Amino acid sequence: MNGGGEGLAAPATSGAAVSPLEWKFSQVFGERTAGEEVQEVDIISAIEFDRTGDHLATGDRGGRVVLFERTDIKDHGGHRRDLERMDYSISRHPEFRYKTEFQSHEPEFDYLKSLEIEEKINKIRWCQTANGALFLLSTNDKTIKYWKVQEKKVKKVCEMNVDASKSMENGSVASSMSASSKPYLANGACKESPISSPSNDTSFPSLHLPVVTSQETSLVARCRRVYTHAHDYHINSISNNSDGETFISADDLRINLWNLEISNQSFNIVDVKPANMEDLTEVITCAEFHPTHCNMLAYSSSKGSIRLIDLRQSALCDTHSKLFEEQEAPGSRSFFTEIIASISDIKFAKNGRHILSRDYMSLKLWDINMDSGPVATFQVHEYLRPKLCDLYENDSIFDKFECCLSGDGHRVATGSYSNLFRVFGCSEVSTEATTLEASKNPMRRQVQMPARPSRSLGSLPRVLRRGADNSGADANGNSFDFTTKLLHLAWHPSENSIACAASNSLYMYYA
């Protein structure tokens, strides 16, 4: 599996075995106390590290974006922070602190369609920084906003006009004037000028020009642009281009291309809407730009397929350059087949060679140079197969779990129920399959899951199936809780550190 571009890292599924990581709890933000009720608006709905990993953003159902910044002294990707500005001690593990928050979206009402538009943040994407300012995109179902977060100096008046030491007891200029009132001539001159009577200085306060100083700094979030009126359906994803100038937004049927500087115009590059909506068989579920090639992007569908498109081929990319999908095993089709095949999230590996996809039951790793099938499959919810009917009844089968890859491409991770998340090794000889609970007991020890035997899938080459857990219980033998689910997580771009959201709490783990 060679090729794929100059300077790319080794493929994620090759190489010698990588020893399993020992994951440890690092931090928690917003953890509720015993008996505390969580407000729905506080539930986290999006997580994203910036390119350096020094900043982390979360969005919630209340339309707020909260920013965190790295505080431990480390060398990140070849650049070192200015140590003179740091007022904290060296940490032995990655450490973040609250930076600021702002209200990104408000609830709206579409009067033409009689439709309420939620303020919930669906996705956050970091843009390139400039002049010390942070830039990011956030979106709800209909509106994308471009934000600039920057430190501003707070201006204060440090010297007032009135010198209090020379004013009267009540400190009022008017009072001192009235207390020493003098008869004035018709031309406005005073018979007894205070200038000629130095002894009367105490009756007139000395006057100063006000002095404005900038001493304190404050973080200010300002909305630079609003991109709206371009989607008839709910926006499910946004993705920045590597050119730093454009981004895409995707809903169920269309993908639009935007320029960051132009908010009133976008270009429709993918349109899967049929002439007759009764002929609709699949919808777009996620879209992502290639990390280095600005002309390539991939999007997934509710049928479990991933399409790779090249913007150089045509202005309207309804035809794909490559199609990635797994063939159904004969006789395996059921009522739930299409529902559980729907892909909820896709991510490109940092090297751009692989795509990770998450459907309801599993994680799949695809090589963009091999469209015959996934190079690896990791079972996440295989134990739930006998319970699909119950999951359909309570709508849990429609939960959209996200996925992520490590920066070196050696591992993948995704969430599950009971606030669990799972980490798998990607190399062919790896047996790593670790389950951790991000819960109100964050010090709970992780459990190393044993490797599972591979299953043959007919003609599909080199497919690995590992980590299936059919016990129907969590790492501690407890039955799974389908009301608590870990949907959102992100992997630090250059270190083995994971941020994950369980309800309103943000948990940080490192290895």
Side-chain angles (χ1 to χ4, degrees):
M1 301 200 313
N2 298 322
E6 243 183 36
L8 295 182
T13 53
S14 68
V18 180
S19 58
L21 295 178
E22 182 183 350
W23 290 92
K24 299 175 183 177
F25 168 76
S26 174
Q27 286 175 283
V28 58
F29 295 94
E31 187 176 32
R32 58 184 172 180
T33 57
E36 181 185 355
E37 187 177 347
V38 176
Q39 301 295 320
E40 187 172 352
V41 293
D42 294 329
I43 296 176
I44 297 173
S45 57
I47 300 179
E48 186 78 4
F49 278 106
D50 73 346
R51 187 175 298 178
T52 65
D54 289 345
H55 293 91
L56 175 68
T58 65
D60 61 27
R61 294 187 184 180
R64 289 164 298 187
V65 173
V66 182
L67 303 185
F68 301 87
E69 65 178 349
R70 186 81 177 262
T71 60
D72 55 301
I73 302 174
K74 282 202 174 184
D75 191 2
H76 297 291
H79 81 277
R80 185 170 289 278
R81 289 183 171 207
D82 184 357
L83 303 185
E84 294 178 357
R85 296 183 58 191
M86 296 199 173
D87 55 355
Y88 35 78
S89 59
I90 298 175
S91 299
R92 289 175 296 174
H93 59 77
E95 188 173 319
F96 285 79
R97 67 180 174 190
Y98 170 87
K99 186 177 180 73
T100 188
E101 68 179 77
F102 56 91
Q103 188 71 30
S104 175
H105 288 73
E106 301 281 356
E108 300 175 43
F109 190 81
D110 187 336
Y111 290 95
L112 292 176
K113 298 182 179 179
S114 297
L115 183 69
E116 288 185 5
I117 302 172
E118 285 186 317
E119 66 271 37
K120 184 186 79 152
I121 306 296
N122 291 341
K123 294 289 179 181
I124 295 174
R125 290 291 180 265
W126 289 91
C127 304
Q128 293 180 352
T129 58
N131 299 324
L134 304 174
F135 296 88
L136 59 151
L137 291 167
S138 62
T139 184
N140 65 352
D141 287 339
K142 295 291 184 181
T143 304
I144 307 160
K145 293 186 178 182
Y146 184 44
W147 291 92
K148 178 181 181 181
V149 182
Q150 190 177 30
E151 281 191 352
K152 291 283 188 181
K153 290 186 176 179
V154 180
K155 294 182 178 180
K156 288 188 176 182
V157 178
C158 71
E159 292 186 25
M160 303 300 291
N161 285 345
V162 179
D163 187 343
S165 64
K166 295 185 178 182
S167 63
M168 300 301 288
E169 288 182 1
N170 60 5
S172 169
V173 177
S175 300
S176 64
M177 292 291 289
S178 61
S180 59
S181 58
K182 305 268 191 302
Y184 285 84
L185 301 175
N187 62 1
C190 183
K191 286 184 179 180
E192 187 180 341
S193 174
I195 297 175
S196 61
S197 300
S199 61
N200 290 339
D201 269 356
T202 54
S203 63
F204 281 85
S206 56
L207 302 178
H208 299 279
L209 288 174
V211 178
V212 179
T213 59
S214 301
Q215 295 177 339
E216 300 178 4
T217 57
S218 175
L219 279 167
V220 177
R222 187 163 63 91
C223 184
R224 295 288 302 274
R225 286 175 188 85
V226 179
Y227 313 89
T228 187
H229 306 307
H231 288 278
D232 291 330
Y233 303 93
H234 291 174
I235 299 171
N236 54 49
S237 53
I238 51 176
S239 178
N240 297 94
N241 199 348
S242 58
D243 62 11
E245 297 178 357
T246 56
F247 70 94
I248 54 172
S249 58
D251 64 20
D252 291 343
L253 299 180
R254 293 186 177 94
I255 300 176
N256 293 330
L257 177 68
W258 302 82
N259 188 301
L260 279 168
E261 302 299 321
I262 303 171
S263 60
N264 60 355
Q265 183 181 5
S266 65
F267 299 93
N268 178 227
I269 56 174
V270 175
D271 189 347
V272 300
K273 185 177 181 179
N276 185 355
M277 284 295 283
E278 292 182 359
D279 299 329
L280 182 68
T281 58
E282 63 180 332
V283 296
I284 298 168
T285 58
C286 188
E288 185 94 355
F289 258 121
H290 191 280
T292 56
H293 299 334
C294 60
N295 58 286
M296 291 177 63
L297 63 96
Y299 70 90
S300 58
S301 82
S302 57
K303 277 193 168 181
S305 61
I306 301 172
R307 290 173 173 84
L308 193 67
I309 63 176
D310 192 334
L311 296 173
R312 298 172 297 185
Q313 290 182 346
S314 65
L316 190 60
C317 305
D318 289 343
T319 56
H320 52 267
S321 56
K322 282 191 177 181
L323 174 67
F324 306 95
E325 60 182 355
E326 191 171 18
Q327 302 299 323
E328 284 183 30
S332 65
R333 189 167 184 82
S334 71
F335 172 79
F336 303 108
T337 298
E338 283 197 11
I339 300 175
I340 61 176
S342 178
I343 295 175
S344 56
D345 191 25
I346 60 171
K347 291 286 193 312
F348 271 100
K350 194 174 182 180
N351 61 15
R353 175 69 179 270
H354 294 85
I355 299 175
L356 180 68
S357 67
R358 171 69 204 263
D359 56 45
Y360 188 73
M361 303 300 287
S362 62
L363 280 171
K364 293 185 176 72
L365 190 67
W366 308 79
D367 187 327
I368 65 172
N369 295 332
M370 191 176 82
D371 53 8
S372 57
V375 294
T377 299
F378 310 96
Q379 297 294 354
V380 181
H381 283 163
E382 188 61 30
Y383 69 93
L384 292 177
R385 198 171 289 276
K387 305 174 183 174
L388 290 180
C389 191
D390 295 335
L391 294 166
Y392 179 79
E393 290 294 328
N394 63 22
D395 286 342
S396 293
I397 201 171
F398 301 107
D399 288 334
K400 300 183 186 304
F401 291 92
E402 293 179 1
C403 58
C404 58
L405 300 95
S406 60
D408 57 13
H410 290 156
R411 294 173 180 85
V412 297
T414 191
S416 181
Y417 294 104
S418 295
N419 292 338
L420 298 177
F421 68 96
R422 307 199 67 189
V423 181
F424 300 93
C426 290
S427 65
E428 293 176 353
V429 292
S430 174
T431 59
E432 183 174 359
T434 307
T435 300
L436 299 102
E437 180 180 358
S439 67
K440 57 187 178 182
N441 181 9
M443 305 307 292
R444 184 169 293 175
R445 302 169 76 180
Q446 73 274 12
V447 176
Q448 190 68 32
M449 301 296 292
R452 306 294 173 179
S454 301
R455 269 197 330 193
S456 172
L457 290 178
S459 60
L460 294 185
R462 303 175 59 225
V463 173
L464 309 175
R465 297 200 169 241
R466 299 191 300 273
D469 180 12
N470 298 303
S471 64
D474 65 14
N476 298 281
N478 302 315
S479 59
F480 276 90
D481 180 6
F482 297 110
T483 61
T484 57
K485 55 197 78 171
L486 197 151
L487 302 176
H488 312 285
L489 75 171
W491 201 302
H492 190 283
S494 58
E495 299 176 10
N496 288 320
S497 175
I498 293 178
C500 49
S503 187
N504 67 318
S505 302
L506 176 67
Y507 292 93
M508 312 288 292
Y509 282 80
Y510 73 103

